[in-house]
Amino acid sequence: MEQNYLDVKKFKILVIDKDKESVAHNIARFKNSEYKFIECYKSKDIYNALKKEQFDLVLLEVDLPDLDGVELCYELKNDVLYKKIPIVFLAERHDDYTQIAAYDAGCDDFIAKSSKSRLLVAKVKVILNRIYEYRDDKQISIKKYGNLEIDEDQVMVYKKGVPLKLSKKEFQLILLLTSKPGKVFRRTFILTKVWGEDIIVGDRNIDTHIKKLRKKIGKDHIQTVRGIGYKFQV
């Protein structure tokens, strides 16, 4: 009997909240070892965590000490690197206005913290099942550019059907550049999206990663626009 993908995957969940006690209580609701939780309490740590880990779901509070949860949801859902991560609000404030704003921002579900544990766990499991279950029909998001194939769901790039060994930064670079083929991405924009605003990275670091990426995918795909940045050509 074929083993289901969900039976072997350990889901990584990013919990963004203001209250450590509340987070501990909510994590305790998930008694199953198939979940791994990473906690964030400050806005400066959120994007760093997202860049270090490949998360399967985000549990997000509306009211954060230095950030609005709804605005953060909107930012993530409109960012090519993170828009596919499901976001579930787990919030103390759950009036109709707040929920409507959250859904308008792109969240996948909204759960009140006062809800029963079984409801929280059941909703999270349904979302994970819907998004990550194994599909025999191959309905997976794969982009094709000439002899290159980019599988965003599996975080893989193939050249002529052969998988390439890319670092996380290299994958984020190609994902960003291929989000709009032909568009020139400025160096400052690339730095912010791939490395984050809190990390000091020089132009040489970008050049080094681009050079390595060109060797793997082919030098003709990524063109340098002198003094500005880079663009992806099919």
Side-chain angles (χ1 to χ4, degrees):
M1 182 176 179
E2 186 176 352
Q3 191 172 24
N4 191 293
Y5 176 62
L6 288 171
D7 293 335
V8 297
K9 181 174 177 60
K10 191 177 183 74
F11 292 104
K12 292 181 182 178
I13 298 177
L14 176 62
V15 185
I16 303 173
D17 207 316
K18 62 180 181 296
D19 185 353
K20 291 186 178 182
E21 194 172 309
S22 175
V23 169
H25 171 71
N26 289 319
I27 290 176
R29 299 187 188 190
F30 296 84
K31 298 177 182 178
N32 198 312
S33 60
E34 68 189 73
Y35 302 104
K36 176 184 177 182
F37 294 91
I38 304 294
E39 304 161 29
C40 273
Y41 300 97
K42 297 180 180 179
S43 60
K44 67 177 183 179
D45 298 326
I46 295 170
Y47 279 98
N48 287 337
L50 286 165
K51 287 175 174 62
K52 290 178 182 178
E53 298 275 0
Q54 188 75 26
F55 290 102
D56 299 297
L57 185 136
V58 173
L59 281 178
L60 178 61
E61 170 62 275
V62 172
D63 297 317
L64 300 170
D66 55 353
L67 186 67
D68 181 86
V70 174
E71 289 182 7
L72 175 62
C73 177
Y74 179 83
E75 288 179 9
L76 293 176
K77 287 297 185 178
N78 285 275
D79 191 313
V80 65
L81 297 177
Y82 311 116
K83 64 181 181 180
K84 290 199 171 185
I85 305 175
I87 296 177
V88 176
F89 276 95
L90 184 60
E92 290 180 359
R93 178 159 56 94
H94 51 88
D95 57 274
D96 290 350
Y97 176 82
T98 300
Q99 292 193 50
I100 290 170
Y103 282 113
D104 285 344
C107 81
D108 295 84
D109 209 336
F110 195 108
I111 307 170
K113 282 186 176 178
S114 57
S115 300
K116 293 186 179 298
S117 297
R118 289 179 62 185
L119 177 62
L120 168 62
V121 175
K123 284 198 170 191
V124 167
K125 189 170 184 179
V126 164
I127 291 173
L128 292 171
N129 282 342
R130 185 181 73 237
I131 295 176
Y132 298 108
E133 70 178 344
Y134 180 81
R135 299 180 179 93
D136 289 325
D137 57 9
K138 303 298 182 182
Q139 292 180 352
I140 298 173
S141 177
I142 297 178
K143 297 178 181 177
K144 295 184 179 181
Y145 305 97
N147 60 10
L148 292 178
E149 292 184 358
I150 302 175
D151 186 338
E152 294 185 45
D153 293 334
Q154 298 301 316
V155 197
M156 290 294 297
V157 176
Y158 301 86
K159 183 178 181 181
K160 295 181 180 179
V162 178
L164 302 177
K165 291 184 178 180
L166 301 184
S167 68
K168 187 170 183 179
K169 287 289 183 287
E170 289 168 354
F171 183 81
Q172 289 177 329
L173 271 172
I174 193 170
L175 197 62
L176 177 62
L177 293 174
T178 56
S179 65
K180 292 184 179 179
K183 171 184 169 63
V184 179
F185 287 89
R186 295 181 178 274
R187 288 174 175 271
T188 52
F189 185 82
I190 294 173
L191 282 171
T192 300
K193 289 297 180 182
V194 178
W195 277 272
E197 296 177 346
D198 296 329
I199 300 175
I200 300 174
V201 178
D203 286 349
R204 288 187 178 180
N205 200 304
I206 298 179
D207 295 337
T208 298
H209 280 79
I210 291 290
K211 184 177 180 181
K212 291 179 179 179
L213 191 55
R214 279 176 172 153
K215 284 184 178 180
K216 296 175 183 180
I217 69 172
K219 62 181 182 180
D220 296 330
H221 283 299
I222 301 177
Q223 295 184 3
T224 302
V225 181
R226 192 174 297 277
I228 300 177
Y230 297 96
K231 66 178 180 178
F232 182 86
Q233 291 292 115
V234 181

